[in-house]
Amino acid sequence: MIEAYLSAGSNITPEKNLKLACMQLAKHYGDLELSPVYRNPAEGFLGDEFLNMVIGFKTDESPEQIIERIELIHKQARRQRTKDKFSSRTLDLDLLLYGNEIRRNPKIPHQDIENYGFVAKPLSQIAPKYKHPITGKTMLEIWEGFEVACSMQEISIGLLD
């Protein structure tokens, strides 16, 4: 079994859509490891605040199969793809890590780990000693390199009830 980690974010009915994602992932993969949920400002555009988290699970599926599952969940959340990279969305799930694999397509490890605090912080909380397959830094070391802590607020929502 391989450890996989996904980022999850939403700024359109975010509590409902993060709960949908967690319920569907749990139904398919079983036990999930859930980070705290963080509220933070939209990045790259003006929009409602996002709720972001990271979800970990063990699987024997390939990255391509995980991405197929992600797309099914996006459809359930009625995600509308736009030309804009930065826009409001019902749900955004991305495969961050798949064991220690390094791939070009799909891109693993996902660049968001090193680019966005709203990914790095929750990932560092559920996998602090997990080493980035390229840099060798732990997820905690990557998070400690960010200066965005003040813009993120931990919130409590029921995701699997």
Side-chain angles (χ1 to χ4, degrees):
M1 298 289 269
I2 301 276
E3 286 181 281
Y5 293 92
L6 307 179
S7 61
S10 173
N11 75 334
I12 299 173
T13 58
E15 290 185 21
K16 173 185 160 203
N17 287 307
L18 290 181
K19 185 172 184 167
L20 167 74
C22 290
M23 298 296 278
Q24 291 303 313
L25 290 166
K27 188 185 296 185
H28 187 76
Y29 295 108
D31 290 336
L32 302 179
E33 194 167 0
L34 303 178
S35 76
V37 176
Y38 290 92
R39 180 184 317 276
N40 55 281
E43 185 131 348
F45 71 102
L46 293 175
D48 293 337
E49 291 181 314
F50 273 79
L51 295 186
N52 289 288
M53 66 180 299
V54 169
I55 302 163
F57 54 88
K58 291 184 178 9
T59 184
D60 57 5
E61 290 184 341
S62 69
E64 293 79 10
Q65 290 171 308
I66 295 169
I67 289 169
E68 284 178 24
R69 176 73 41 199
I70 286 171
E71 289 310 315
L72 288 173
I73 298 169
H74 281 160
K75 285 180 185 171
Q76 290 176 316
R78 293 187 164 95
R79 175 166 177 181
Q80 301 292 316
R81 299 246 182 219
T82 66
K83 294 177 190 172
D84 297 323
K85 179 180 176 184
F86 299 108
S87 62
S88 292
R89 53 198 60 174
T90 57
L91 188 62
D92 186 16
L93 297 171
D94 288 307
L95 179 58
L96 299 173
L97 293 164
Y98 181 80
N100 291 315
E101 288 202 26
I102 300 169
R103 292 183 176 211
R104 283 185 174 205
N105 192 17
K107 179 81 171 110
I108 302 169
H110 201 287
Q111 63 275 6
D112 286 358
I113 296 167
E114 295 179 283
N115 292 338
Y116 297 109
F118 59 79
V119 173
K121 183 171 185 173
L123 181 57
S124 76
Q125 290 178 296
I126 63 173
K129 294 179 182 178
Y130 201 101
K131 290 194 176 184
H132 191 283
I134 296 172
T135 68
K137 291 181 181 178
T138 66
M139 295 304 127
L140 184 57
E141 289 170 332
I142 291 171
W143 164 242
E144 288 172 342
F146 280 86
E147 297 177 6
V148 297
C150 61
S151 65
M152 296 172 56
Q153 175 188 5
E154 185 174 336
I155 66 165
S156 179
I157 60 176
L159 292 168
L160 291 174
D161 32 271

